């Protein structure tokens, strides 16, 4: 507790600034966020929200999207493997946190409980900025947003009076051959048509840890991606956007399984994601409905996995594919001067393909087996929502509700045909009070939920260090989040402080079948049997003493308790945060950051059984990084020195250690 108060004191008195909050004077005055589905000034939003800084991806060149979130206030990033990365928000991750890109759900019917790798299947060169909403999101965006919502926004294209063609190229290298990247893009714009397309080719070598860890083999993998976006001005009031995004990763090892679970081969042979969407934006002349947004999209995710134990003759190969078709409609309205609203419908449908083969390497034979999930399973997610915003004098009130129905159909050899049609109704309300034009107090009450998906109900096989079997009687998980907060903003200071208390019930958890063993693994089934609470504090402060110089500090502490088991809630991150500083002018950019995490020795039984967590808990750590950049006409050079003191560390729950002392350099050219 003394450590908590000490770091809180440092957070509000140190002169430091972080990469996610690097701002100029104008940004301190106005930062627009879209948590309520329409842009609003951040200080007027009665929720805890964080956003990456302008040009963050350009300046810091994060290796992956998950790693771009490291150090963001209230966000803790776990890495099961080098090709993964899962963000914890309010102590929750995996399918209890919702991920969106350009407003479209990434979460599908096979998203797993606990840490997963899906956020890493988005190319960071595609992303312009990221918003993270904490403790809210089910009413605004639907199922899975119990911990919160991670919103990715891809780079946009703009029109120009004259026809214009531009291009860009960038290459990046990291010592130890840990990264080799090449990226090229072409842009076209005119008065009515704008277009961009780009290709990335990347090779990641084995991750080299700090101090005595050395090279962690196998952990490297290859990646390539393709993206294209076009925008067409159909009329003065109508714009059409078309987008294609695709990323492919090959031979992605699960380092901890090879090192700790006696596997000769454990890898994703393929991780691939694709998204195509068409979006029509209509500005109406209607006195009530101001604009309408219609989006049709298709997604496809693929996974191929290979597993074989040391000295084993049987090798198992699995393949999963999920196709998602979606249609959404959003209408923004103003009913009166002090009353605006956003309403709409969302329709998503997943179709799952899953298969597996077992190969006998001695007999040179193969046998078709049931896949990890029931083949041809379908998952429908249909909802209507309405969000309302009222203002009067110094008060503003937000209120919303969503009705969500689901159609879950699967056929399994052990369960037979299973049909579930759960329904969820959620609501939220929040009050913001302006003490002064630059100082706001807020309180909010948000209900949330996560409907059971195909992964919950149909999994059959080895997952992490256990063997799961299907379940057919699951209900939605539910949450209630209560929060008090304070935000302030002046010409030189920007800060926020929040206290939250979250109640969770009907949690879907794996229940061990005592005495039952399959292939050397204990057998688990999922049931709605647990209740829990998570409470915590988050704070951040930004100071701009002069125009080019920024300082920032943030800290977050979560306390999770499983009421059903009377023990710690599993995988709760330790006390963590960041202190950092940035100087930037037209040509030069310098930044230094200190990332820290306390020891996490408050463990659940599941944590103690997890071979990725050391006996007695995960040690605390401190890591210092510095960055620099130089812009000269069309050429930009950036560099980073990571983990200056070569600290040997691991983020809590990860299956691989963090990067040791290393240097990366990137050179970009705009044509």
């Amino acid at each position: 507790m003394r450590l908590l108060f000490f770091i809180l004191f440092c957070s509000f008195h140190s002169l430091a600034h972080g990469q996610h909050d690097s701002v100029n004077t104008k940004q301190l005055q106005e930062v627009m966020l879209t948590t309520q589905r329409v842009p609003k000034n951040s200080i007027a939003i009665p929720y805890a929200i964080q956003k990456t800084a302008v040009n963050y991806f350009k300046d810091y060149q994060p290796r992956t999207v998950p790693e771009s979130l490291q150090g963001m206030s209230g966000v803790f990033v776990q890495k099961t493997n080098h090709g993964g990365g899962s963000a914890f928000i309010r102590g929750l991750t995996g399918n209890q946190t919702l991920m969106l890109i350009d407003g479209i759900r990434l979460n599908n019917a096979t998203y797993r409980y606990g840490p997963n790798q899906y956020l890493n299947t988005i190319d960071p060169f595609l992303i312009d900025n990221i918003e993270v909403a904490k403790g809210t999101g089910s009413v605004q965006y639907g199922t899975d947003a119990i911990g919160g919502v991670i919103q990715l926004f891809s780079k946009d294209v703009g029109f120009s009076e004259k026809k214009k063609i531009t291009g860009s190229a960038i290459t990046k290298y990291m010592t130890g051959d840990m990264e080799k990247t090449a990226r090229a893009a072409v842009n076209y714009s005119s008065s009515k048509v704008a277009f961009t397309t780009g290709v990335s080719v990347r090779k990641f070598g084995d991750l080299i840890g700090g101090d005595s860890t050395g090279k962690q083999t196998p952990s490297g993998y290859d990646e390539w991606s393709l993206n294209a976006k076009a925008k067409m001005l159909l009329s003065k009031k109508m714009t059409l956007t078309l987008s294609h995004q695709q990323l492919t990763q090959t031979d992605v090892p699960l380092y901890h399984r090879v090192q700790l679970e006696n596997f000769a081969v454990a890898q994703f042979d393929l991780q691939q994601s694709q998204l195509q969407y068409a979006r029509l934006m209509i500005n109406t002349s209607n006195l009530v409905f101001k604009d309408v947004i219609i989006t049709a999209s298709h997604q496809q995710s693929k996974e191929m996995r290979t597993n074989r134990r040391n000295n084993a003759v049987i090798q198992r190969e699995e393949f999963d594919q999920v196709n998602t078709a979606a249609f959404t409609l959003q209408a923004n309205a103003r009913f009166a001067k002090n009353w605006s609203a956003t309403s709409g419908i969302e329709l998503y449908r997943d179709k799952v393909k899953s298969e597996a083969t077992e190969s006998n390497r001695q007999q040179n034979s193969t046998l078709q087996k049931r896949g990890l999930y029931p083949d041809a399973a379908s998952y429908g997610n249909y909802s209507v929502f309405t969000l309302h915003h009222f203002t009067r004098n110094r008060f503003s009130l937000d209120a919303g509700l969503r009705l969500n129905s689901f159609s879950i159909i699967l056929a399994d050899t052990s369960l037979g045909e299973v049909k579930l049609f759960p329904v969820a109704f959620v609501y939220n309300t929040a009050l913001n009070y302006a003490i002064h034009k630059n100082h706001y107090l807020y309180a909010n009450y948000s209900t949330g939920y996560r409907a059971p998906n195909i992964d919950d109900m149909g999994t059959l096989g080895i997952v992490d260090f256990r063997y799961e079997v299907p379940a057919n009687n699951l209900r939605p998980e539910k949450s209630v989040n209560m929060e008090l907060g304070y935000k302030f903003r002046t010409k030189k200071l920007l800060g926020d402080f929040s206290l939250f208390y979250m109640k969770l019930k009907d949690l879907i958890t794996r229940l061990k079948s005592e005495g039952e063993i399959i292939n050397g693994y204990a057998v688990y089934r999922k049931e709605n049997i647990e209740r829990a609470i998570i409470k915590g504090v988050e704070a951040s402060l930004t100071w701009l003493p002069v125009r080019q110089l920024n300082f920032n500090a943030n800290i977050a502490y979560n306390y999770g308790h499983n009421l059903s088991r009377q023990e710690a809630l599993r995988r709760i991150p330790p006390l963590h945060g960041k202190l950092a500083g940035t100087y930037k002018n037209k040509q030069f950019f310098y930044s230094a950051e200190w990332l820290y995490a306390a020891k996490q020795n408050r463990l659940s039984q599941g944590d103690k059984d997890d071979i990725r967590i050391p006996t007695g808990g995960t040690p605390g750590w401190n890591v210092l990084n510095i960055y620099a950049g130089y812009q000269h006409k069309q050429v930009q050079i950036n560099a980073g020195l990571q983990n200056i003191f070569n600290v040997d560390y691991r983020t809590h729950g990860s299956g691989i250690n963090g990067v040791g002392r290393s240097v990366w350099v990137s050179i970009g050219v705009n044509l």
Side-chain angles (χ1 to χ4, degrees):
M1 186 58 68
R2 290 180 179 178
L3 177 62
L4 172 61
F5 284 117
F6 172 75
I7 297 180
L8 277 170
F9 177 84
C10 292
S11 296
F12 284 100
H13 292 80
S14 61
L15 305 183
H17 181 79
Q19 59 199 38
H20 297 95
D21 307 287
S22 180
V23 293
N24 58 34
T25 304
K26 183 178 179 181
Q27 288 172 280
L28 277 181
Q29 296 305 313
E30 184 173 338
V31 178
M32 304 305 289
L33 300 173
T34 59
T35 298
Q36 296 298 84
R37 301 188 71 105
V38 292
K40 287 187 179 181
N41 198 323
S42 61
I43 199 169
I45 298 177
Y47 300 99
I49 307 163
Q50 298 295 321
K51 182 178 182 178
T52 52
V54 173
N55 293 325
Y56 164 69
F57 284 87
K58 177 182 176 182
D59 291 336
Y60 291 91
Q61 301 285 323
R63 190 185 72 88
T64 68
V65 171
E67 290 178 16
S68 74
L69 296 172
Q70 290 178 334
M72 181 177 280
S73 180
V75 181
F76 189 80
V77 180
Q78 183 266 17
K79 290 181 62 175
T80 295
N81 61 317
H82 195 37
S86 193
F88 280 73
I89 306 173
R90 299 279 165 95
L92 301 173
T93 192
N95 57 21
Q96 293 175 318
T97 297
L98 178 59
M99 294 181 288
L100 307 169
I101 184 163
D102 293 342
I104 299 168
R105 295 175 58 90
L106 289 176
N107 294 40
N108 63 36
T110 62
Y111 268 37
R112 297 189 295 275
Y113 165 76
N116 57 49
Q117 79 282 11
Y118 304 115
L119 194 57
N120 192 35
T121 61
I122 304 297
D123 186 353
F125 288 102
L126 176 70
I127 302 304
D128 181 61
N129 65 82
I130 303 177
E131 291 181 13
V132 176
K134 295 172 283 187
T136 187
S138 284
V139 175
Q140 298 94 321
Y141 296 103
T143 181
D144 301 353
I146 295 180
V149 180
I150 300 173
Q151 281 214 72
L152 312 177
F153 296 92
S154 65
K155 294 177 181 177
D156 206 357
V157 291
F159 303 112
S160 60
E161 292 184 4
K162 296 182 179 181
K163 293 181 180 180
K164 183 169 58 175
I165 298 177
T166 60
S168 63
I170 188 170
T171 183
K172 182 182 176 186
Y173 177 79
M174 188 173 179
T175 54
D177 284 341
M178 283 189 283
E179 180 179 351
K180 298 175 183 177
T181 290
R183 164 80 176 179
V186 176
N187 311 299
Y188 169 82
S189 63
S190 67
S191 60
K192 292 187 177 182
V193 176
F195 176 80
T196 183
T197 185
V199 177
S200 303
V201 179
R202 317 183 74 188
K203 184 176 182 63
F204 300 111
D206 289 337
L207 179 62
I208 301 173
D211 196 14
S212 60
T213 296
K215 184 173 289 188
Q216 300 173 91
T217 304
S219 58
Y221 60 97
D222 295 337
E223 174 182 302
W224 71 271
S225 71
L226 170 68
N227 68 276
K229 178 183 280 189
K231 183 177 287 188
M232 290 164 276
L233 188 63
L234 304 181
S235 69
K236 291 183 178 180
K237 296 184 178 182
M238 192 177 300
T239 304
L240 176 65
T241 301
L242 304 175
S243 179
H244 172 81
Q245 304 166 15
Q246 177 178 343
L247 182 140
T248 300
Q249 297 168 338
T250 56
D251 301 327
V252 186
L254 290 169
Y255 171 79
H256 72 283
R257 301 198 76 181
V258 174
Q259 294 296 319
L260 302 176
E261 291 189 48
N262 194 35
F263 274 82
V265 179
Q267 68 178 31
F268 291 92
D269 303 286
L270 174 70
Q271 289 184 164
Q272 185 181 83
S273 65
Q274 292 186 45
L275 167 64
Q276 300 86 29
Y277 70 81
R279 172 166 293 154
L280 186 64
M281 300 187 67
I282 306 170
N283 295 319
T284 72
S285 56
N286 189 290
L287 295 177
V288 175
F289 291 99
K290 300 301 181 183
D291 54 74
V292 176
I293 304 172
I294 302 171
T295 305
S297 65
H298 176 266
Q299 294 182 70
Q300 183 183 84
S301 68
K302 292 182 180 180
E303 284 186 20
M304 295 178 63
R305 301 176 294 274
T306 297
N307 292 281
R308 177 171 55 84
R309 287 183 172 276
N310 287 312
N311 303 317
V313 298
I314 300 298
Q315 177 167 293
R316 183 175 174 88
E317 299 172 350
E318 299 176 331
F319 173 75
D320 298 324
Q321 177 177 298
V322 181
N323 286 286
T324 304
F327 174 85
T328 65
L329 184 149
Q330 174 180 317
N332 301 318
R334 180 167 292 279
F335 299 111
K337 181 180 179 180
N338 299 324
W339 177 16
S340 61
T342 298
S343 305
I345 61 172
E346 295 184 337
L347 311 173
Y348 287 82
R349 188 175 187 275
D350 296 346
K351 191 74 173 181
V352 179
K353 179 180 180 180
S354 185
E355 56 190 31
T357 60
E358 290 186 353
S359 304
N360 189 310
R361 305 177 73 219
Q362 284 185 346
Q363 300 176 2
N364 196 27
S365 61
T366 60
L367 181 65
Q368 290 296 125
K369 304 289 286 186
R370 190 252 204 205
L372 183 63
Y373 307 114
D375 192 38
S378 66
Y379 185 87
N381 175 3
Y382 317 116
S383 59
V384 295
F385 66 89
T386 184
L387 310 169
H388 294 257
H389 180 70
F390 306 90
T391 59
R392 183 175 178 82
N393 299 326
R394 295 190 176 191
F395 289 94
S396 65
L397 174 68
D398 280 8
L401 55 87
R402 175 180 291 254
L403 180 63
N404 210 155
S405 65
F406 301 86
S407 171
I408 307 170
I409 301 174
L410 57 91
D412 183 79
T413 53
S414 59
L415 296 177
E417 186 176 42
V418 176
K419 295 183 179 181
L420 288 182
F421 303 97
V423 175
F425 173 77
V426 286
Y427 58 93
N428 65 5
T429 183
L431 183 66
N432 212 22
Y433 174 69
I435 306 172
H436 180 269
K437 66 178 181 178
N438 295 322
H439 298 264
Y440 286 77
L441 287 174
Y442 71 85
N444 66 59
Y445 182 97
S446 300
T447 61
Y449 67 103
R450 186 186 74 83
N453 62 16
I454 302 300
D455 179 77
D456 294 314
M457 299 177 59
T459 297
L460 177 63
I462 299 170
V463 179
D464 291 335
F465 51 91
R466 61 182 67 82
Y467 194 98
E468 286 193 23
V469 295
N472 66 347
N473 57 348
L474 299 177
R475 306 181 305 277
E477 298 177 323
K478 298 176 183 177
S479 69
V480 172
N481 182 73
M482 295 166 281
E483 183 173 331
L484 293 174
Y486 165 58
K487 297 181 181 182
F488 67 91
R489 180 189 64 202
T490 66
K491 290 183 178 180
K492 294 184 180 295
L493 288 172
L494 174 70
D496 61 77
F497 179 85
S498 61
L499 295 167
F500 70 90
Y501 184 90
M502 184 185 298
K503 296 191 295 184
L504 305 163
K505 70 175 183 178
D506 291 335
L507 290 176
I508 298 172
T509 187
R510 299 179 178 103
L511 188 65
K512 186 176 181 180
S513 299
E514 295 298 334
E516 193 173 353
I517 303 293
I518 298 178
N519 295 339
Y521 287 85
V523 175
Y524 287 76
R525 290 180 176 82
K526 289 178 179 173
E527 295 186 19
N528 294 90
I529 59 171
E530 292 189 351
R531 297 180 300 113
I533 62 163
I534 303 175
K535 54 186 178 181
V537 55
E538 298 166 348
S540 68
L541 177 67
T542 297
W543 180 42
L544 183 73
V546 294
R547 184 175 179 82
Q548 292 85 11
L549 186 61
N550 299 276
F551 296 101
N552 168 267
N554 70 60
I555 187 170
Y557 174 74
N558 295 330
Y559 176 91
H561 188 68
N562 188 318
L563 300 174
S564 302
R565 298 175 182 265
Q566 288 301 313
E567 63 174 9
L569 194 61
R570 192 164 179 220
R571 298 191 184 99
I572 290 294
L575 175 77
H576 63 279
K578 179 184 68 176
L579 303 173
T582 301
Y583 173 83
K584 189 173 185 179
N585 61 25
K586 291 182 178 180
Q587 284 187 302
F588 293 97
F589 157 74
Y590 306 100
S591 181
E593 66 176 6
W594 167 40
L595 302 174
Y596 58 87
K599 179 178 181 179
Q600 181 55 288
N601 56 5
R602 187 172 178 273
L603 307 176
S604 68
Q605 187 59 48
D607 292 332
K608 295 174 184 177
D609 294 338
D610 192 332
I611 58 177
R612 295 167 293 191
I613 297 176
T615 302
T618 303
W621 48 267
N622 297 271
V623 171
L624 182 63
N625 305 315
I626 60 175
Y627 306 91
Y630 173 69
Q631 177 84 44
H632 179 69
K633 296 182 179 179
Q634 284 76 39
V635 178
Q636 179 170 337
I637 301 173
N638 289 78
L641 173 56
Q642 300 179 117
N643 197 354
I644 293 175
F645 297 108
N646 205 31
V647 174
D648 198 359
Y649 76 102
R650 175 175 294 197
T651 57
H652 182 59
S654 295
I656 192 167
N657 283 8
V659 66
R661 185 187 298 120
S662 55
V663 176
W664 61 261
V665 178
S666 71
I667 301 175
V669 179
N670 296 312
L671 303 174

